[in-house]
Amino acid sequence: MTPNTDTNAKSPFAAIHPALASAIAAKGYSALTPVQMAMTNEDHGDADLLVSAQTGSGKTVAFGIAIALTLLGNGARFDAAAAPLGLVIAPTRELAIQVQKELEWLYAAAEVRIATCVGGMDMRNERRALDRGAHIVVGTPGRLRDHIMRGALDLGAIRAVVLDEADEMLDLGFRDDLEFILGAAPEERRTLLFSATVRRGIAELARTVQKNAVRIETTASTAQHADIEYQVMLVRRDEREHAIINTLLDTDSASALVFCHTREAVRHLTARLANRGFAVVSLSGEMAQSERSNALQSMRDGRARVCVATDVAARGIDLPNLDLVVHADVPSNPETLLHRSGRTGRAGRKGICVLIVPENRRGAVRRVLALAKLTATTRAAPGIADIEARYRRRIIDAAASAAPPNGEEVEFVAELLDRVGPERIAAAYLRQQLAANPVPEELVPLPVETLDSKTPGRDRRSADKQASVREPRGPDLQDGVWFTISLGRKQRADPKFLLPMICNAGGVTKRDVGKIKIDDTETRFEISADKAAGYAKQIRQPGSLERGIMIAPAGEMREKPRQVKQKFKQDGKPPRKHPAPSADRGKTAKHKSRKPKRPA
């Protein structure tokens, strides 16, 4: 490598090949990431490297720096392209194409020619590109092997090979392909192996394809993803999708990535979000390359805000301004968690990772976080009130930041104010803006507990006892009036059936109901101050409630009727508006209908 001639230079670019240093400076880099700094170490020389670095740490630029001297020597630019000098192998099409784009600007001053060989693209176009000559080839294992076997790709002049995301290539079953490709390259080549983790399979591969590799670890295992804030959102099992929708609505993120385990789950959730008004695209292995490219471009240019993807399809992709990752399904292992989450918090940017966790999966997420050596805060799923408050703040901010009317608008604005008035104009603007936003989902609030809580998801009675104080279901009522209903935990009271009963009894809507607090034998709830008087009058009308159930202003509840206690002792079920026919009557009728006739 030709270092900067100023030995006292303190620039982080001093030890980088000059052809690359100028490109990095022009790109706006003020500092290098740890893995990039490690690649500037001249002591490595032409040694093989086994590098572990967290996802999103700038590895592409790092290995571009590392192989520059090997490919260029002391020259400022490449000679005419003939047989490839460098080979980069990536696990997925998206990552390979991304690597190509990164290396193109990094080596632009060196007049590099790069060819890509990836599955899903036209092999004839790739072969023509190889025939024209390339200094660096970037590809996926299967397609590279095909070109070698067909005689289109000659690796006889290769000086350096990079295996990017090597752990993922092993997980996808590419080991045989990798060994075949490397077997076609000269033995005196350099081999750089980059992986997020160096587990047993990676170590075995390194011993097979590398010689006396220098081990480089650029981040401590206890400091993984320092730029990512991890949040766990505990939800009921049947409200997972509602929580995902509200999480996406309760953020100012320019773009978000939602991970699912299966292709079917990706299709289902994408359709659900599209129906709710989200600008959403999807990525899965069943999609054609053109579809996947269009989806990524939609995210990059802002036409789409949410991408729903499987792990494999999203492996290695880099989306600008991605600051929110949502795990719709709990990751099955720490590697999956780290790779998914690593799509955000990249190259010094901050990111948020939210794990949507059904109650019965609490133990699983605790184990995965512990194995990944990560800590997470537990938060409640955002409710309707939270999201609507955010909507209103956005509307006010947008109006406050709007430019004053220009010359062509002044006259019409004056006419509007004169004929309509400012209040009606503001109301029309408010309704228009609110209508443009997806409607949030209603969620049953759960208590915010730490993951160390021992409440098993299958023990609903235990969970209900800890959930005696419920968060507001509707707006935050400042002067709400408290009422009491004669149902509690012993009657298995649950907000899912309590809330409709409360609303129907007093002729109010869900948004007029504030906090709901479930105790052992009764439940207290808030009604907005402007509806409280009418509510108190309505609940006194005959037929407003099921027989045996009472609602009264707090403090005025009389002793509950004996028949209600007796009913719940017998079947332990919530009250029903239309009681089922007596079981005894049903059996008697059935018995009579089947009674054989007495012989004559």
Side-chain angles (χ1 to χ4, degrees):
M1 185 178 297
T2 304
N4 192 313
T5 56
D6 181 4
T7 57
N8 296 321
K10 296 183 179 180
S11 168
F13 314 124
I16 298 176
H17 195 292
L20 279 63
S22 58
I24 292 174
K27 196 74 172 177
Y29 279 61
S30 59
L32 299 179
T33 66
V35 67
Q36 292 165 358
M37 283 296 297
M39 296 301 102
T40 65
N41 188 339
E42 296 179 358
D43 293 339
H44 297 157
D46 289 329
D48 289 353
L49 303 179
L50 175 56
V51 184
S52 60
Q54 70 183 49
T55 304
S57 58
K59 287 185 291 183
T60 305
V61 173
F63 63 67
I65 293 171
I67 64 175
L69 181 61
T70 307
L71 301 184
L72 284 165
N74 293 328
R77 57 185 58 86
F78 288 103
D79 296 330
L85 304 176
L87 175 66
V88 181
I89 310 175
T92 65
R93 292 172 279 184
E94 285 74 25
L95 181 55
I97 293 171
Q98 180 180 306
V99 167
Q100 174 210 0
K101 292 178 179 178
E102 288 283 292
L103 294 180
E104 280 180 342
W105 70 257
L106 184 62
Y107 280 86
E111 300 178 2
V112 70
R113 293 186 68 172
I114 302 176
T116 56
C117 302
V118 298
M121 305 298 282
D122 192 330
M123 285 191 71
R124 294 169 298 178
N125 292 337
E126 293 178 349
R127 182 159 190 163
R128 283 192 286 268
L130 293 172
D131 289 342
R132 288 192 297 268
H135 302 110
I136 301 174
V137 173
V138 182
T140 51
R143 180 56 62 90
L144 289 171
R145 181 170 185 167
D146 285 345
H147 281 300
I148 294 171
M149 295 177 68
R150 294 168 186 264
L153 177 59
D154 178 10
L155 301 184
I158 288 291
R159 300 175 183 174
V161 177
V162 177
L163 279 64
D164 192 15
E165 302 278 10
D167 51 345
E168 176 67 5
M169 287 193 280
L170 290 187
D171 289 344
L172 295 175
F174 288 138
R175 176 157 187 157
D176 288 344
D177 291 332
L178 293 175
E179 292 180 350
F180 175 87
I181 294 167
L182 294 171
E187 290 188 6
E188 61 271 18
R189 69 178 187 271
R190 289 186 71 192
T191 304
L192 287 71
L193 194 153
F194 282 74
S195 178
T197 58
V198 181
R199 56 180 188 268
R200 178 180 299 177
I202 295 297
E204 292 175 353
L205 178 65
R207 286 193 294 269
T208 303
V209 303
Q210 292 184 306
K211 298 177 181 179
N212 302 318
V214 177
R215 178 76 171 88
I216 299 173
E217 187 171 3
T218 59
T219 181
S221 60
T222 57
Q224 293 168 323
H225 289 194
D227 292 327
I228 301 176
E229 177 189 349
Y230 285 84
Q231 301 176 355
V232 169
M233 189 178 294
L234 295 173
V235 298
R236 290 175 180 258
R237 280 180 284 181
D238 59 342
E239 294 189 336
R240 184 178 61 92
E241 289 184 3
H242 290 180
I244 295 169
I245 290 171
N246 283 12
T247 299
L248 295 173
L249 293 178
D250 190 43
T251 179
D252 293 321
S253 171
S255 59
L257 189 55
V258 182
F259 280 105
C260 300
H261 281 334
T262 65
R263 299 173 182 178
E264 179 58 37
V266 167
R267 287 195 295 267
H268 171 77
L269 186 57
T270 301
R272 181 79 189 277
L273 294 177
N275 289 337
R276 296 304 307 272
F278 287 90
V280 59
V281 294
S282 61
L283 284 177
S284 67
E286 66 183 354
M287 298 170 61
Q289 179 60 36
S290 58
E291 295 175 309
R292 294 162 73 164
S293 298
N294 289 338
L296 289 173
Q297 188 57 40
S298 295
M299 291 292 290
R300 292 186 176 114
D301 62 26
R303 285 177 291 148
R305 177 174 167 260
V306 180
C307 179
V308 184
T310 57
D311 296 317
V312 173
R315 183 75 177 211
I317 63 172
D318 186 16
L319 294 173
N321 303 318
L322 180 68
D323 47 18
L324 175 64
V325 167
V326 178
H327 299 265
D329 297 310
V330 176
S332 56
N333 56 66
E335 288 82 9
T336 299
L337 172 61
L338 292 172
H339 282 298
R340 284 180 174 184
S341 305
R343 299 307 102 207
T344 187
R346 299 173 71 84
R349 298 194 303 266
K350 299 295 182 182
I352 295 175
C353 172
V354 178
L355 294 93
I356 308 295
V357 182
E359 291 175 287
N360 62 314
R361 298 284 289 161
R362 182 199 303 259
V365 77
R366 186 192 303 124
R367 288 190 295 273
V368 170
L369 287 169
L371 289 171
K373 298 182 173 63
L374 298 172
T375 57
T377 58
T378 306
R379 58 166 291 193
I384 293 175
D386 302 318
I387 296 168
E388 289 185 342
R390 181 179 291 272
Y391 284 170
R392 283 173 167 75
R393 288 196 300 272
R394 287 178 185 166
I395 292 169
I396 292 172
D397 291 343
S401 60
N406 59 35
E408 298 178 354
E409 299 169 336
V410 169
E411 184 177 345
F412 187 60
V413 168
E415 182 181 353
L416 273 176
L417 289 171
D418 182 56
R419 295 183 58 181
V420 182
E423 288 188 358
R424 291 178 63 188
I425 293 174
Y429 175 71
L430 174 64
R431 293 172 191 138
Q432 181 188 55
Q433 293 298 310
L434 288 176
N437 291 303
V439 177
E441 293 284 355
E442 184 175 353
L443 294 168
V444 175
L446 290 177
V448 179
E449 302 166 354
T450 66
L451 286 177
D452 295 329
S453 300
K454 300 300 181 182
T455 305
R458 63 182 178 271
D459 189 352
R460 295 300 313 138
R461 287 175 296 178
S462 174
D464 286 342
K465 288 182 181 180
Q466 296 186 17
S468 61
V469 179
R470 303 282 179 172
E471 292 296 317
R473 295 187 55 83
D476 187 9
L477 306 181
Q478 299 297 325
D479 299 310
V481 178
W482 288 90
F483 289 77
T484 303
I485 186 170
S486 58
L487 298 173
R489 276 194 303 271
K490 289 186 177 179
Q491 292 82 35
R492 298 189 181 180
D494 185 281
K496 281 190 174 181
F497 77 81
L498 280 179
L499 187 60
M501 184 185 299
I502 290 168
C503 294
N504 294 335
V508 297
T509 67
K510 297 177 181 179
R511 300 190 180 188
D512 297 319
V513 182
K515 293 181 180 179
I516 298 177
K517 298 184 178 181
I518 302 177
D519 297 322
D520 286 340
T521 58
E522 64 183 22
T523 296
R524 292 172 294 142
F525 59 92
E526 276 185 303
I527 297 294
S528 59
D530 58 331
K531 298 293 180 67
Y535 189 86
K537 183 178 180 180
Q538 178 68 26
I539 59 177
R540 294 187 179 96
Q541 300 297 319
S544 61
L545 281 166
E546 300 174 35
R547 190 174 64 177
I549 300 175
M550 297 178 60
I551 296 180
E556 297 182 14
M557 179 64 69
R558 299 188 298 270
E559 183 180 357
K560 286 186 289 183
R562 183 173 299 174
Q563 62 265 33
V564 176
K565 293 182 180 180
Q566 186 63 32
K567 173 180 174 61
F568 284 105
K569 282 183 180 179
Q570 291 174 354
D571 57 25
K573 295 181 180 179
R576 301 169 61 165
K577 287 192 174 182
H578 304 290
S582 166
D584 291 336
R585 289 200 303 271
K587 287 181 180 178
T588 302
K590 186 175 180 180
H591 176 71
K592 287 181 179 179
S593 65
R594 295 187 179 183
K595 185 176 182 181
K597 293 182 180 180
R598 183 177 299 176

